[in-house]
């Protein structure tokens, strides 16, 4: 497979597509991003790297981080994670409150905000220095010491994150948040503010494609655990557009409102795209189109 040529083709073809969507408006700091940024990076299972466009520029990974927090929680709590968070698609928006009431504070899955807040609570309970330890975990799995939180983005979200505050308080009223609401929100806003390039993001997701082994060869999850998390990304990674992503792209993946997407083909490759224009569901429109072109051109999809 000549990935270099394929990425060039995808990049050129995707750039001709009409510009659909706008940068995220809910976090003021993110609304300043140039909407026309576009990068793709693909890392093969043998560790070869292919990048194009703005693939070496850092961006806010936002909800893509939810796949990494649940991986860390799963690594030490194993199946206990699912006592407090479900494994079903929600069919609602990422920041929706409606299901929580009638499902008594058990979020549908770890990728909607409610689920990610419960996972954040688990990490706050189990890590000695939650924000530092999580950052160390990220630097370890990506084999990159320069990855950091963007404090301007974290603070910007803190100032405007009323909906997440509502979700966290609501969860607490059901007893599904064990720590202070403020501490959990602070952790969550920091995890969302992580900045990575497409290359760093592809590297940090490498273990999902490599049976639980990171790009530097460290085992962080069992093969069967990674299988489960990939299944969750496949069914829930794009909120109420997970079916559409599965239909068009056919890979497990996770999106974020910074415009990033990380996706993978188990035992073959990991790919990250970045284009800040979001569609109505809060997913990167151009990123999804680029990934659709990738699996169409290569025929490499899980289906
Ligand atoms: N930090 C964002 C929020 O909680 C993340 C949402 C997303 O990327 N979908 O609203």
């Amino acid at each position: 497979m000549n990935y270099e040529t394929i990425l060039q083709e995808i990049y050129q073809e995707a750039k001709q597509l009409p510009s659909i969507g706008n940068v995220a408006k809910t976090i003021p700091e993110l609304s300043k991003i140039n909407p026309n940024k576009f990068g793709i990076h693909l890392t093969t299972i043998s560790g070869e790297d292919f990048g194009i466009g703005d693939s070496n520029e850092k961006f806010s990974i936002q909800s893509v981080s939810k796949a990494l927090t649940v991986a860390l929680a799963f690594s030490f709590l194993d199946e206990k994670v699912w006592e407090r968070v479900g494994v079903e698609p929600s069919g609602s928006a990422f920041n929706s409150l409606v299901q929580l009431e009638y499902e008594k504070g058990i979020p549908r899955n770890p990728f909607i905000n409610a689920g990610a807040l419960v996972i954040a609570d688990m990490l706050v309970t189990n890590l000695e220095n939650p924000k530092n330890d999580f950052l160390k975990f990220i630097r370890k799995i990506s084999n990159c010491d320069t990855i950091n939180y963007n404090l301007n983005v974290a603070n910007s979200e803190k100032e405007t994150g009323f909906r997440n505050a509502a979700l966290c308080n609501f969860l607490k009223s059901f007893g599904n948040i064990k720590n202070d609401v403020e501490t959990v929100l602070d952790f969550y806003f920091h995890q969302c503010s992580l900045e990575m390039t497409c290359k760093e993001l592809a590297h940090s997701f490498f273990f999902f494609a490599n049976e639980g082994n990171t790009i530097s060869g460290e085992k962080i999850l069992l093969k069967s655990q990674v299988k489960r998390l990939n299944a969750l990304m496949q069914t829930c990674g794009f909120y109420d557009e997970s079916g559409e992503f599965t239909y068009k792209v056919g890979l497990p993946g996770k999106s974020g409102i910074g415009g990033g997407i990380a996706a993978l083909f188990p035992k073959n490759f990991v790919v990250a795209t970045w284009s800040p224009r979001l569609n109505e569901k809060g997913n990167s429109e151009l990123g999804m189109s680029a990934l659709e072109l990738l699996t169409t051109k290569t025929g490499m999809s899980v289906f």
Side-chain angles (χ1 to χ4, degrees):
M1 196 65 72
N2 188 339
Y3 286 114
E4 197 171 332
T5 312
I6 287 170
L7 285 200
Q8 275 164 5
E9 273 178 40
I10 295 170
Y11 187 75
Q12 294 311 336
E13 284 178 41
K15 275 197 117 158
Q16 307 302 319
L17 297 170
S19 302
I20 297 173
N22 283 307
V23 296
K25 292 276 183 329
T26 47
I27 303 175
E29 202 56 29
L30 291 186
S31 64
K32 299 177 186 165
I33 308 294
N34 175 350
N36 299 322
K37 293 285 176 188
F38 181 35
I40 313 173
H41 187 96
L42 185 146
T43 303
T44 66
I45 205 72
S46 54
E48 276 182 291
D49 284 308
F50 302 92
I52 194 156
D54 302 312
S55 63
N56 279 317
E57 212 173 298
K58 298 227 186 229
F59 62 92
S60 191
I61 73 164
Q62 291 296 316
S63 286
V64 185
S65 66
K66 294 170 180 170
L68 302 172
T69 51
V70 74
L72 180 55
F74 204 31
S75 73
F76 49 72
L77 294 175
D78 200 20
E79 294 291 316
K80 285 202 191 77
V81 167
W82 316 125
E83 290 168 10
R84 294 173 55 193
V85 185
V87 294
E88 293 297 337
S90 69
S92 352
F94 66 87
N95 53 7
S96 170
L97 283 126
V98 288
Q99 277 168 345
L100 267 188
E101 171 75 344
Y102 56 82
E103 294 184 355
K104 303 196 169 42
I106 305 291
R108 276 284 175 109
N109 66 65
F111 299 143
I112 51 173
N113 287 12
L117 286 164
V118 173
I119 300 291
D121 184 59
M122 293 175 190
L123 294 182
V124 169
T125 299
N126 286 280
L127 300 176
E128 208 169 314
N129 297 299
K131 287 187 283 187
N132 275 345
D133 294 353
F134 179 60
L135 190 56
K136 272 191 216 151
F137 169 75
I138 295 295
R139 288 177 174 177
K140 178 176 78 174
I141 59 172
S142 58
N143 200 23
C144 175
D145 274 342
T146 60
I147 292 176
N148 228 321
Y149 300 122
N150 180 326
L151 300 184
N152 290 334
V153 172
N155 288 332
S156 178
E157 184 163 12
K158 189 177 270 183
E159 280 164 20
T160 52
F162 305 114
R163 192 167 261 273
N164 284 318
L167 279 168
C168 207
N169 279 290
F170 203 22
L171 287 160
K172 180 103 183 159
S173 77
F174 287 106
N176 204 8
I177 291 286
K178 313 292 177 194
N179 298 281
D180 286 348
V181 164
E182 234 170 81
T183 311
V184 176
L185 285 172
D186 181 62
F187 181 88
Y188 174 75
F189 294 146
H190 277 79
Q191 75 168 76
C192 288
S193 82
L194 275 175
E195 285 192 325
M196 296 190 200
T197 65
C198 289
K199 182 176 183 178
E200 290 161 359
L201 187 56
H203 286 189
S204 61
F205 266 63
F206 190 86
F207 70 92
F208 287 116
N210 194 33
E211 300 183 338
N213 302 302
T214 67
I215 191 139
S216 53
E218 198 170 331
K219 180 145 215 80
I220 58 151
L221 283 174
L222 302 174
K223 184 178 165 184
S224 63
Q225 290 177 312
V226 156
K227 176 191 76 177
R228 296 194 190 287
L229 295 183
N230 286 343
L232 270 175
M233 278 196 268
Q234 187 75 62
T235 50
C236 313
F238 294 76
Y239 320 110
D240 46 341
E241 203 168 35
S242 300
E244 180 99 356
F245 188 80
T246 292
Y247 178 80
K248 285 186 171 163
V249 179
L251 297 176
K254 185 72 205 80
S255 63
I257 56 167
I261 297 178
L264 59 119
F265 184 29
K267 293 186 235 153
N268 279 278
F269 62 72
V270 195
V271 59
T273 59
W274 175 45
S275 161
R277 286 184 196 275
L278 308 178
N279 63 21
E280 280 175 2
K281 311 283 185 183
N283 297 317
S284 168
E285 182 71 22
L286 191 57
M288 285 180 53
S289 301
L291 293 172
E292 182 179 8
L293 284 169
L294 175 69
T295 53
T296 305
K297 281 178 189 295
T298 60
M300 294 172 90
S301 117
V302 297
F303 299 104

